[in-house]
Amino acid sequence: LELAHRMAELRSKGFGALVLQADQNNIDSDTVAGFQCEHRDSVSLFTIPGLPFGHGGVGVCSSGGVDVTVSSAINTKQDSNATTGLGESRADAVRKLLISNAHLRGKSRVPALIEISPGATLAELKARADRLATMGANLFCQAVVGNHADCRVDPWQQPSWRHFRVFSDYLARLSWMLSQGPHRAQVALLHPISGFIHERALGVESTLDRVILEYFDAYCELLRAEHIDFDVITEDSLARACCADQLLSVSGEEYELLIIPPTTCLGVEAAHAVREFVDDGGALLGSVLLPCRDVGNAHSEVMEIFESIFGFDPEAARIRAKTSGWSEEPYVARPAERVAFLHASSAEQISPILRECIASLIKPRVSLRSIGRECPDISFVQRLTNEGDLFFFANHSQQPREVRMSIRCDG
């Protein structure tokens, strides 16, 4: 979340490119430090010691009609979040945020850089591309880069590598196929950056900012595992959204369900957009904490909006969470027909009830079941073409998977 906030801040100051570099020495020694920033004309370079990016970095740039470049080879290992016990790496949540930002800004092409790293097999490179494709990227380019400071030339760094043409052809076909028609996600997941910043006063970690981050990571992983395609929606995008026919529309994207993960602060314009969406009959899911602060001074207005929607005082819930925490078993409250609130005392508790809760609000478009549950090894992305719906499925495991597939048909 801090990474995304810094990127938004630098972009607002007119920087055309952002180069993010992880400081491996500080990561290995668990040193907690702030951002080290350096500005060079239209490029900003800064080091982020605390992010799980291994020896690599994330390259983000803007040029002409395309926006957002995301590295898929930050770390080939999926780091487990020790606090939540979830396997989704935080880097994947950052990638999803960047790709969603391109969708919400009306970009039809979302570039993704696939790094050909030392020792990577063709199957591993394909898996990296497939994972980014199911996140919503659709313009793929391989980069022959490495970690050698002396720029030593190795075979895998050259276009003469025997798999280079095969991989290039696959990326070209994938880019063409996933550029047909607009992207279609079913859910908008609010990015709780304001609540995180509000609770993380002066850069000191507190109970609530940790809760906000853990639940956001959990939602990003669980929605993918339950085959609920989503975009991460920022506050400014939510504030300019239009509501019609029970859909939340932003730059051509249309969402049936808005999920507000635990957060305590939201801009008043975005809060009014939530109220308008609910009044139009849209589906809304809240959980654990609700906004009771404005990024400006309209605190009471924000609090009244969410109290009127969910039927309880958000400020009282925040105080209770900060002082005594939660000890309740997970359950779902239904203050209105298309409004639900998920009570839980930890991020792990939402896993067994999330899909059922979402299915009570909207009908999921895809189900891929194996051994009585959704198969988390397979993910998908959907696009809408003139001929009909286009689905791309990818198996991220090392073994074949046999599933029972259901796809919702409308009309």
Side-chain angles (χ1 to χ4, degrees):
L1 293 176
E2 289 186 67
L3 164 64
H5 178 65
R6 291 294 303 204
M7 289 172 56
E9 178 185 358
L10 287 166
R11 181 176 291 281
S12 69
K13 293 179 180 178
F15 286 100
L18 314 178
V19 181
L20 318 183
Q21 177 177 299
D23 185 341
Q24 185 63 29
N25 293 330
N26 282 345
I27 292 176
D28 290 341
S29 61
D30 292 328
T31 301
V32 179
F35 290 92
Q36 305 296 322
C37 300
E38 179 182 349
H39 303 305
R40 302 173 185 171
D41 299 326
S42 63
V43 175
S44 176
L45 171 68
F46 54 96
T47 298
I48 307 162
L51 293 177
F53 286 173
H55 291 275
V58 183
V60 181
C61 69
S62 178
S63 175
V66 297
D67 188 38
V68 186
T69 299
V70 189
S71 167
S72 72
I74 296 172
N75 193 340
T76 56
K77 177 182 66 176
Q78 292 298 309
D79 296 317
S80 178
N81 186 316
T83 305
T84 64
L86 298 171
E88 179 84 350
S89 68
R90 188 153 295 164
D92 269 356
V94 174
R95 295 185 189 110
K96 187 65 175 178
L97 173 62
L98 294 172
I99 292 171
S100 299
N101 180 59
H103 293 158
L104 293 166
R105 296 177 64 185
K107 304 297 182 180
S108 60
R109 308 301 298 276
V110 185
L113 180 67
I114 313 297
E115 295 182 3
I116 302 180
S117 52
T121 66
L122 185 60
E124 289 170 343
L125 294 174
K126 178 182 181 297
R128 295 175 189 176
D130 290 348
R131 189 167 188 85
L132 283 172
T134 58
M135 288 184 180
N138 65 349
L139 183 59
F140 301 94
C141 177
Q142 69 271 46
V144 282
V145 297
N147 297 327
H148 299 295
D150 59 359
C151 298
R152 184 169 69 242
V153 176
D154 286 323
W156 52 264
Q157 291 179 279
Q158 303 302 310
S160 57
W161 178 49
R162 64 192 180 95
H163 293 312
F164 195 92
R165 175 59 185 270
V166 175
F167 189 49
S168 298
D169 288 347
Y170 177 73
L171 294 182
R173 292 193 298 270
L174 192 62
S175 298
W176 179 86
M177 180 182 68
L178 295 182
S179 298
Q180 307 305 302
H183 169 256
R184 279 292 175 262
Q186 202 170 8
V187 171
L189 174 66
L190 177 67
H191 185 217
I193 184 66
S194 294
F196 178 83
I197 293 173
H198 176 77
E199 299 298 339
R200 199 179 181 93
L202 300 178
V204 179
E205 185 177 282
S206 68
T207 300
L208 295 188
D209 68 356
R210 188 167 59 251
V211 167
I212 291 170
L213 187 58
E214 289 173 5
Y215 275 88
F216 178 72
D217 285 348
Y219 269 114
C220 286
E221 177 171 2
L222 292 173
L223 287 171
R224 281 177 58 85
E226 296 293 336
H227 305 117
I228 309 292
D229 196 13
F230 70 100
D231 274 331
V232 178
I233 187 170
T234 57
E235 287 185 24
D236 63 323
S237 295
L238 178 57
R240 60 185 174 85
C242 299
C243 305
D245 300 324
Q246 300 181 338
L247 295 174
L248 188 71
S249 301
V250 187
S251 299
E253 297 284 343
E254 295 180 341
Y255 307 103
E256 299 177 35
L257 171 65
L258 172 63
I259 296 179
I260 301 178
T263 187
T264 57
C265 183
L266 185 67
V268 65
E269 294 86 0
H272 279 293
V274 174
R275 174 78 269 180
E276 182 183 352
F277 181 55
V278 172
D279 290 343
D280 185 61
L284 177 66
L285 173 61
S287 52
V288 183
L289 291 169
L290 290 173
C292 55
R293 295 286 190 275
D294 174 33
V295 293
N297 297 312
H299 305 312
S300 59
E301 191 172 352
V302 170
M303 187 162 54
E304 288 171 3
I305 288 173
F306 285 97
E307 184 173 4
S308 67
I309 294 174
F310 290 96
F312 67 88
D313 183 359
E315 176 64 22
R318 176 183 178 272
I319 294 174
R320 181 169 69 91
K322 199 167 186 178
T323 55
S324 59
W326 300 270
S327 58
E328 57 193 2
E329 291 297 316
Y331 71 96
V332 178
R334 297 298 297 267
E337 181 181 357
R338 303 208 71 202
V339 177
F341 188 85
L342 202 158
H343 294 266
S345 57
S346 67
E348 299 101 314
Q349 289 187 333
I350 68 175
S351 176
I353 60 176
L354 180 61
R355 186 177 178 88
E356 181 180 354
C357 179
I358 291 177
S360 70
L361 296 169
I362 61 173
K363 184 178 180 182
R365 290 176 183 160
V366 170
S367 175
L368 300 167
R369 297 185 68 80
S370 176
I371 319 176
R373 66 185 183 95
E374 294 295 316
C375 179
D377 294 328
I378 301 176
S379 59
F380 80 100
V381 68
Q382 178 186 5
R383 303 188 73 87
L384 181 63
T385 71
N386 293 331
E387 289 74 27
D389 293 304
L390 185 152
F391 292 87
F392 173 73
F393 295 89
N395 177 12
H396 304 296
S397 73
Q398 298 298 317
Q399 302 296 327
R401 290 288 181 262
E402 183 174 333
V403 299
R404 181 180 294 274
M405 178 186 293
S406 301
I407 297 178
R408 189 181 86 182
C409 297
D410 299 322

